[in-house]
Amino acid sequence: MPLLKAPGIKAIYGAEPCVGLHAELRKRAFDEGLGDKYTILPCSVVKKELDKELEKVGLLEDSSAVERKGVFDTIITVRVLCSVPEFEKTVEELYTLLKPGGKMLVVEHVVNPWRTPKGSILARVMQGVYHFLGWRWVMGDCCLNRDTEGVVKGVADRDGGWESADVDRWFETTCMAYIAGVFVKKGG
């Protein structure tokens, strides 16, 4: 939350389906001086849940509308996309919520890039073993084997691609590989 203190930030909406975390999030927002800007949305990022909450706070006019217009300057996902049920569809829906020129900041677990020089076949096998032994069940449906970067890029490709995509890859030799990136939507 300290990174969200930039003076240009007027409002922050955090989708959090785990109601048990809301009190701590609210407290942290107030402790960081963001209490007046931070609104917790009691939902996941899945369209049918998110749209209802965005309508309640006045960001969407009609949550039942098929077409959505961009409403956010920035969308941040931190270990969110690894656990959504309809992965590609959810990324596409988040993309539509970005305004032209908007940024999508992503920090997500990814499948080990075992076919690259920095990847590891052993780490990729271990991801499969963890998955088989119940990693998803223990870790809130987290999937360590998703090609998040590929899906985020692919969703935008249907709309002409991202204006820019700056992606760093971390811990590629381990079963906990992840990416951290900034994707900028065209048209800004």
Side-chain angles (χ1 to χ4, degrees), residues 3-74:
L3 300 175
L4 301 175
K5 290 184 179 183
I9 297 176
K10 295 179 178 71
I12 303 165
Y13 297 91
E16 178 51 67
C18 182
V19 177
L21 295 176
H22 289 194
E24 181 61 29
L25 283 171
R26 202 168 285 108
K27 179 186 180 313
R28 182 91 188 266
F30 276 99
D31 290 350
E32 295 290 340
L34 298 169
D36 57 333
K37 294 180 181 183
Y38 193 80
T39 301
I40 300 170
L41 304 175
C43 64
S44 74
V45 296
V46 174
K47 184 181 187 316
K48 66 182 180 183
E49 295 176 31
L50 183 59
D51 281 5
K52 287 180 197 172
E53 296 302 322
L54 292 176
E55 185 177 17
K56 285 180 187 176
V57 296
L59 291 176
L60 286 180
E61 291 180 23
D62 180 7
S63 65
S64 64
V66 175
E67 287 290 317
R68 297 197 291 186
K69 293 182 182 177
V71 294
F72 293 114
D73 297 315
T74 304

Side-chain angles (χ1 to χ4, degrees), residues 74-168:
T74 304
I75 293 176
I76 303 171
T77 68
V78 178
R79 297 183 191 115
V80 170
L81 301 177
C82 61
S83 61
V84 294
E86 295 181 80
F87 175 44
E88 190 168 341
K89 182 178 178 184
T90 299
V91 172
E92 185 173 6
E93 291 164 352
L94 291 174
Y95 176 83
T96 66
L97 287 173
L98 271 179
K99 292 178 182 176
K103 296 177 183 176
M104 187 165 180
L105 285 67
V106 176
V107 178
E108 298 288 345
H109 296 123
V110 295
V111 66
N112 183 281
W114 65 277
R115 292 183 176 151
T116 68
K118 291 187 178 181
S120 164
I121 185 70
L122 177 60
R124 177 63 189 105
V125 168
M126 288 307 298
Q127 284 180 322
V129 170
Y130 287 164
H131 184 78
F132 177 76
L133 294 176
W135 176 268
R136 289 182 69 177
W137 182 75
V138 173
M139 299 305 291
D141 217 19
C142 171
C143 297
L144 294 174
N145 57 355
R146 290 186 172 173
D147 178 15
T148 305
E149 181 179 358
V151 168
V152 170
K153 286 181 176 178
V155 162
D157 284 347
R158 295 179 212 142
D159 189 38
W162 294 98
E163 183 174 304
S164 65
D166 182 21
V167 180
D168 291 324

